[in-house]
Amino acid sequence: MISVDEALTEILRHIEPLEPEYVPILEALGRVLAEEIVSDIDIPPFDNSGMDGYAVRASDVAGAAREAPVRLKVIDSVAAGQVSHRRVEPGTAIRIMTGAPLPEGADAVVPFEDTNDYDRPKDTRLSAPADWIEVRKAVRLGDNVRPAGEDIRHGELVLARGRVLRPQEIGVLASLGRERVWVHRRPRVAILATGDELLEVHEPLTPGKIRNSNEYTNAALVMRTGGIPIRLGIARDTQADLKAKIRAGLEQGADLFLTSGGVSVGDYDVVKDVLGTEGRMQFWQVRMKPGKPLAFGLLPGRAPGQSVPLIGLPGNPVSAMVSFEQFARPAILKMLGHTVLDKPTIQAILDEPLTNSGRRAFVRVIVTRQDDGYHARTTGEQGSGVLTSMAKANGLAVIPEGIERVAAGSWVTVQMLDWPEGIRV
Ligand code: AMP
Ligand code: MG
């Protein structure tokens, strides 16, 4: 048996980031930048007002106070999007709105609140700006002015290759005038369930049969991780059927195969046989619980020399999910260009004792936040076929290899399945 870490290292050794594609910036959300973004402009492009108020010369109003207001002649009014062609000379001011370019001659902005602007009713203020304004508070040079280049300077490296694009990065790209951006392509992940016992979701239950849930869990996990699922349906437990389904996946341009079932030691576990004849196959027993059986192999791709990795997840629904999180998720993330591949983890206080076989265990837990930190309690029945134990859980407590007993009150590491919104007291 090999360890979880050894299995993951071996899988990742065969996986590289996919080539970049040039996509509209909104399609780049959550994806990984494959180019350097260097600005060819200043942002903001010009000095502009940070407040609604009056553009002034700071030296004119240096002594202004409520009891000693300074009167300035208002010579123009400028809104965002406009440019005033007047110059603020000593003793004058220009009425200015937030975002409007600072007129020549001005070096500060006095907000309306520090003038007598509000003394007049709003409709008169708009229709006929006052000829004179009283400034009731001093401003210093540059007050309430946003200088050109304050945010981004011309020539600056704004976003480095490898950055994960969140809404704020998408906005930065828009402000730089980028309609499209280079990001790593999303992997096409072929999903294949195996088993003679499996029925399609719409089929009525018949004796001995169960519905194929893994295909849906796996497709949803792939989508959530950022991949594109290609659903190949159910392969029956024959080499011929499995081979045909794998060929269909290759024809649809799969970058990765995820199978479920057929990798343990039963009579009909054909995944490993097929992989052995079709490609290069490694079949492992991994020191983990749930999810001991795991297959990994390389299938010959369509292009010469190309190979397509296959991760053979166990059939039991919980084992399949836990194994996806440990092995398939990092593989997909690496293809997407991510470098942080670990699940987010927290430390939590275990509220009940646990016993373990000695393999690394992933125990379904419910994490809550309490006054003394996070607490974790199990979801109850931990059978590897009990998928509702995953539905109840928001985390997987990781019991390290070789530890057979964890006392209540101990600190445990928990891989979060939902983070952080799912945590409530
Ligand atoms: P196997 O490794 O193929 O022997 O499967 C182990 C267990 O998982 C068996 O009880 C299977 O019926 C179940 N199983 C396998 N594939 C699926 C699937 N796609 N959906 C739900 N259960 C499955
Ligand atoms: Mg099976």
Side-chain angles (χ1 to χ4, degrees):
M1 278 209 272
I2 63 173
S3 72
V4 173
D5 300 331
E6 285 163 339
L8 179 60
T9 303
E10 179 61 16
I11 290 171
L12 293 179
R13 204 161 68 75
H14 295 281
I15 285 174
E16 291 303 328
L18 297 175
E19 68 281 3
E21 61 178 354
Y22 200 48
V23 302
I25 53 176
L26 279 179
E27 285 174 31
L29 180 65
R31 294 170 68 179
V32 180
L33 196 59
E35 61 169 318
E36 306 273 43
I37 302 294
V38 175
S39 179
D40 59 359
I41 51 167
D42 277 343
I43 295 181
F46 45 84
D47 295 351
N48 68 91
S49 181
M51 299 285 278
D52 296 326
Y54 286 87
V56 300
R57 301 165 77 98
S59 54
D60 272 357
V61 296
R66 178 159 286 278
E67 6 8 289
V70 171
R71 273 167 61 83
L72 298 171
K73 188 171 166 50
V74 181
I75 57 168
D76 199 4
S77 172
V78 58
Q82 299 177 340
V83 176
S84 171
H85 298 290
R86 302 292 303 275
R87 194 184 149 80
V88 176
E89 301 290 355
T92 70
I94 290 179
R95 199 162 194 270
I96 192 165
M97 301 302 132
T98 306
L102 194 71
E104 255 189 78
D107 53 28
V109 171
V110 182
F112 284 153
E113 296 86 317
D114 298 330
T115 69
N116 64 347
D117 198 90
Y118 286 164
D119 295 357
R120 301 193 309 143
K122 181 156 192 193
D123 48 345
T124 27
R125 276 187 268 146
L126 284 177
S127 56
D131 293 340
W132 293 85
I133 192 74
E134 270 185 30
V135 174
R136 295 168 173 169
K137 199 170 170 191
V139 283
R140 282 160 312 171
L141 210 72
D143 275 0
N144 305 312
V145 175
R146 303 187 290 209
E150 171 186 66
D151 186 354
I152 294 171
R153 290 223 162 267
H154 179 260
E156 180 182 327
L157 171 65
V158 187
L159 300 172
R161 209 182 291 272
R163 268 292 274 270
V164 180
L165 301 176
R166 302 167 298 168
Q168 49 270 57
E169 281 82 21
I170 303 294
V172 167
L173 289 166
S175 64
L176 291 169
R178 291 293 301 260
E179 281 184 285
R180 286 176 174 261
V181 71
W182 289 97
V183 290
H184 291 282
R185 176 169 81 71
R186 292 181 190 279
R188 296 169 64 78
V189 183
I191 291 161
L192 184 48
T194 70
D196 284 346
E197 74 279 31
L198 299 179
L199 295 172
E200 303 285 2
V201 173
H202 63 267
E203 292 182 289
L205 286 178
T206 52
K209 309 286 186 187
I210 58 167
R211 295 207 177 90
N212 168 17
S213 63
N214 287 350
E215 175 179 342
Y216 290 86
T217 320
N218 282 337
L221 284 165
V222 165
M223 288 161 70
R224 194 168 68 172
T225 311
I228 303 167
I230 306 173
R231 286 162 47 203
L232 299 174
I234 301 164
R236 296 307 168 193
D237 290 325
T238 66
Q239 294 210 13
D241 199 23
L242 192 55
K243 281 182 192 171
K245 289 281 190 320
I246 287 177
R247 225 162 285 136
L250 289 170
E251 272 158 27
Q252 291 178 61
D255 299 298
L256 171 68
F257 276 82
L258 282 186
T259 63
S260 68
V263 290
S264 45
V265 292
D267 291 345
Y268 300 96
D269 291 333
V270 292
V271 169
K272 55 179 190 283
D273 303 332
V274 167
L275 276 178
T277 54
E278 294 286 287
R280 275 193 290 140
M281 166 61 193
Q282 309 193 48
F283 168 63
W284 297 318
Q285 303 236 303
V286 183
R287 289 197 298 271
M288 64 187 279
K289 190 181 173 204
K292 184 165 76 170
L294 184 80
F296 178 68
L298 297 173
L299 296 162
R302 282 179 303 173
Q306 184 212 11
S307 60
V308 180
L310 180 148
I311 299 174
L313 301 171
N316 274 311
V318 174
S319 313
M321 264 197 103
V322 170
S323 300
F324 179 98
E325 297 288 5
Q326 308 315 311
F327 305 112
R329 178 180 180 274
I332 292 170
L333 290 178
K334 187 171 178 188
M335 287 181 161
L336 282 161
H338 289 270
T339 49
V340 178
L341 307 180
D342 299 337
K343 267 317 251 186
T345 61
I346 57 158
Q347 299 298 311
I349 298 164
L350 191 63
D351 281 345
E352 59 196 276
L354 287 178
T355 54
N356 182 32
S357 65
R359 286 183 265 152
R360 185 180 297 183
F362 297 91
V363 180
R364 276 77 79 203
V365 293
I366 299 161
V367 174
T368 55
R369 193 209 303 268
Q370 297 182 16
D371 289 344
D372 57 347
Y374 294 118
H375 281 245
R377 62 177 197 279
T378 72
T379 55
E381 175 55 47
Q382 294 284 308
S384 58
V386 182
L387 189 53
T388 52
S389 70
M390 283 301 279
K392 287 176 192 152
N394 61 4
L396 296 173
V398 184
I399 312 303
E401 259 182 82
I403 305 275
E404 292 185 351
R405 201 165 286 283
V406 187
S410 314
W411 287 95
V412 284
T413 298
V414 181
Q415 287 184 357
M416 295 310 296
L417 296 168
D418 309 306
W419 179 261
E421 293 87 346
I423 297 191
R424 283 184 299 271
V425 175

